[in-house]
PDB file of all heavy atoms in Angstrom:
ATOM      1  N   VAL A 110     -46.916 -18.882  34.829  1.00  0.00           N
ATOM      2  CA  VAL A 110     -48.215 -19.199  35.407  1.00  0.00           C
ATOM      3  C   VAL A 110     -48.575 -18.113  36.413  1.00  0.00           C
ATOM      4  O   VAL A 110     -47.736 -17.663  37.190  1.00  0.00           O
ATOM      5  CB  VAL A 110     -48.231 -20.589  36.075  1.00  0.00           C
ATOM      6  CG1 VAL A 110     -49.563 -20.863  36.761  1.00  0.00           C
ATOM      7  CG2 VAL A 110     -47.927 -21.693  35.053  1.00  0.00           C
ATOM      8  N   LEU A 111     -49.831 -17.707  36.368  1.00  0.00           N
ATOM      9  CA  LEU A 111     -50.383 -16.685  37.266  1.00  0.00           C
ATOM     10  C   LEU A 111     -51.406 -17.341  38.161  1.00  0.00           C
ATOM     11  O   LEU A 111     -52.254 -18.091  37.680  1.00  0.00           O
ATOM     12  CB  LEU A 111     -51.049 -15.591  36.431  1.00  0.00           C
ATOM     13  CG  LEU A 111     -51.864 -14.530  37.165  1.00  0.00           C
ATOM     14  CD1 LEU A 111     -50.932 -13.627  37.974  1.00  0.00           C
ATOM     15  CD2 LEU A 111     -52.662 -13.698  36.151  1.00  0.00           C
ATOM     16  N   ALA A 112     -51.332 -17.096  39.461  1.00  0.00           N
ATOM     17  CA  ALA A 112     -52.338 -17.593  40.404  1.00  0.00           C
ATOM     18  C   ALA A 112     -53.040 -16.410  41.055  1.00  0.00           C
ATOM     19  O   ALA A 112     -52.418 -15.399  41.366  1.00  0.00           O
ATOM     20  CB  ALA A 112     -51.695 -18.469  41.481  1.00  0.00           C
ATOM     21  N   MET A 113     -54.353 -16.566  41.253  1.00  0.00           N
ATOM     22  CA  MET A 113     -55.150 -15.529  41.898  1.00  0.00           C
ATOM     23  C   MET A 113     -56.195 -16.188  42.785  1.00  0.00           C
ATOM     24  O   MET A 113     -56.528 -17.349  42.615  1.00  0.00           O
ATOM     25  CB  MET A 113     -55.848 -14.651  40.851  1.00  0.00           C
ATOM     26  CG  MET A 113     -54.916 -13.830  40.020  1.00  0.00           C
ATOM     27  SD  MET A 113     -55.787 -12.728  38.851  1.00  0.00           S
ATOM     28  CE  MET A 113     -56.451 -13.943  37.725  1.00  0.00           C
ATOM     29  N   GLY A 114     -56.733 -15.376  43.705  1.00  0.00           N
ATOM     30  CA  GLY A 114     -57.762 -15.858  44.615  1.00  0.00           C
ATOM     31  C   GLY A 114     -59.086 -15.170  44.398  1.00  0.00           C
ATOM     32  O   GLY A 114     -59.181 -13.945  44.543  1.00  0.00           O
ATOM     33  N   GLU A 115     -60.116 -15.945  44.076  1.00  0.00           N
ATOM     34  CA  GLU A 115     -61.454 -15.380  43.855  1.00  0.00           C
ATOM     35  C   GLU A 115     -61.995 -14.709  45.113  1.00  0.00           C
ATOM     36  O   GLU A 115     -62.729 -13.715  45.026  1.00  0.00           O
ATOM     37  CB  GLU A 115     -62.411 -16.487  43.419  1.00  0.00           C
ATOM     38  CG  GLU A 115     -63.832 -16.008  43.208  1.00  0.00           C
ATOM     39  CD  GLU A 115     -64.787 -17.099  42.765  1.00  0.00           C
ATOM     40  OE1 GLU A 115     -64.462 -17.823  41.796  1.00  0.00           O
ATOM     41  OE2 GLU A 115     -65.856 -17.232  43.395  1.00  0.00           O
ATOM     42  N   ARG A 116     -61.655 -15.216  46.283  1.00  0.00           N
ATOM     43  CA  ARG A 116     -62.180 -14.662  47.526  1.00  0.00           C
ATOM     44  C   ARG A 116     -61.369 -13.443  47.991  1.00  0.00           C
ATOM     45  O   ARG A 116     -61.690 -12.850  49.010  1.00  0.00           O
ATOM     46  CB  ARG A 116     -62.187 -15.735  48.612  1.00  0.00           C
ATOM     47  CG  ARG A 116     -63.130 -16.877  48.263  1.00  0.00           C
ATOM     48  CD  ARG A 116     -63.026 -18.025  49.234  1.00  0.00           C
ATOM     49  NE  ARG A 116     -63.870 -19.140  48.787  1.00  0.00           N
ATOM     50  CZ  ARG A 116     -63.640 -20.398  49.107  1.00  0.00           C
ATOM     51  NH1 ARG A 116     -62.646 -20.725  49.895  1.00  0.00           N
ATOM     52  NH2 ARG A 116     -64.457 -21.349  48.667  1.00  0.00           N
ATOM     53  N   VAL A 117     -60.314 -13.117  47.248  1.00  0.00           N
ATOM     54  CA  VAL A 117     -59.432 -12.015  47.610  1.00  0.00           C
ATOM     55  C   VAL A 117     -59.667 -10.782  46.740  1.00  0.00           C
ATOM     56  O   VAL A 117     -59.621  -9.660  47.212  1.00  0.00           O
ATOM     57  CB  VAL A 117     -57.952 -12.448  47.507  1.00  0.00           C
ATOM     58  CG1 VAL A 117     -57.004 -11.322  47.858  1.00  0.00           C
ATOM     59  CG2 VAL A 117     -57.694 -13.677  48.402  1.00  0.00           C
ATOM     60  N   ILE A 118     -59.897 -10.993  45.436  1.00  0.00           N
ATOM     61  CA  ILE A 118     -60.093  -9.878  44.513  1.00  0.00           C
ATOM     62  C   ILE A 118     -61.348 -10.087  43.662  1.00  0.00           C
ATOM     63  O   ILE A 118     -61.804 -11.217  43.501  1.00  0.00           O
ATOM     64  CB  ILE A 118     -58.887  -9.683  43.567  1.00  0.00           C
ATOM     65  CG1 ILE A 118     -58.571 -10.953  42.776  1.00  0.00           C
ATOM     66  CG2 ILE A 118     -57.685  -9.206  44.331  1.00  0.00           C
ATOM     67  CD1 ILE A 118     -57.499 -10.776  41.730  1.00  0.00           C
ATOM     68  N   GLY A 119     -61.863  -9.015  43.162  1.00  0.00           N
ATOM     69  CA  GLY A 119     -63.049  -9.084  42.322  1.00  0.00           C
ATOM     70  C   GLY A 119     -62.684  -9.228  40.860  1.00  0.00           C
ATOM     71  O   GLY A 119     -61.521  -9.102  40.460  1.00  0.00           O
ATOM     72  N   PRO A 120     -63.678  -9.459  40.017  1.00  0.00           N
ATOM     73  CA  PRO A 120     -63.433  -9.701  38.608  1.00  0.00           C
ATOM     74  C   PRO A 120     -62.841  -8.497  37.856  1.00  0.00           C
ATOM     75  O   PRO A 120     -62.071  -8.676  36.912  1.00  0.00           O
ATOM     76  CB  PRO A 120     -64.800 -10.079  38.040  1.00  0.00           C
ATOM     77  CG  PRO A 120     -65.798  -9.653  39.056  1.00  0.00           C
ATOM     78  CD  PRO A 120     -65.090  -9.598  40.374  1.00  0.00           C
ATOM     79  N   GLY A 121     -63.179  -7.284  38.259  1.00  0.00           N
ATOM     80  CA  GLY A 121     -62.621  -6.107  37.585  1.00  0.00           C
ATOM     81  C   GLY A 121     -61.113  -6.025  37.743  1.00  0.00           C
ATOM     82  O   GLY A 121     -60.386  -5.848  36.766  1.00  0.00           O
ATOM     83  N   VAL A 122     -60.651  -6.136  38.964  1.00  0.00           N
ATOM     84  CA  VAL A 122     -59.200  -6.091  39.236  1.00  0.00           C
ATOM     85  C   VAL A 122     -58.525  -7.317  38.614  1.00  0.00           C
ATOM     86  O   VAL A 122     -57.470  -7.211  38.002  1.00  0.00           O
ATOM     87  CB  VAL A 122     -58.925  -6.028  40.763  1.00  0.00           C
ATOM     88  CG1 VAL A 122     -57.437  -6.181  41.046  1.00  0.00           C
ATOM     89  CG2 VAL A 122     -59.441  -4.722  41.344  1.00  0.00           C
ATOM     90  N   ALA A 123     -59.142  -8.492  38.748  1.00  0.00           N
ATOM     91  CA  ALA A 123     -58.572  -9.706  38.165  1.00  0.00           C
ATOM     92  C   ALA A 123     -58.409  -9.560  36.656  1.00  0.00           C
ATOM     93  O   ALA A 123     -57.382  -9.978  36.094  1.00  0.00           O
ATOM     94  CB  ALA A 123     -59.440 -10.918  38.503  1.00  0.00           C
ATOM     95  N   GLY A 124     -59.382  -8.985  35.999  1.00  0.00           N
ATOM     96  CA  GLY A 124     -59.281  -8.782  34.555  1.00  0.00           C
ATOM     97  C   GLY A 124     -58.131  -7.876  34.187  1.00  0.00           C
ATOM     98  O   GLY A 124     -57.403  -8.123  33.209  1.00  0.00           O
TER      99      GLY A 124
END
Side-chain angles (χ1 to χ4, degrees):
V110 176
L111 172 69
M113 294 183 290
E115 178 180 310
R116 296 174 185 154
V117 179
I118 56 173
V122 172

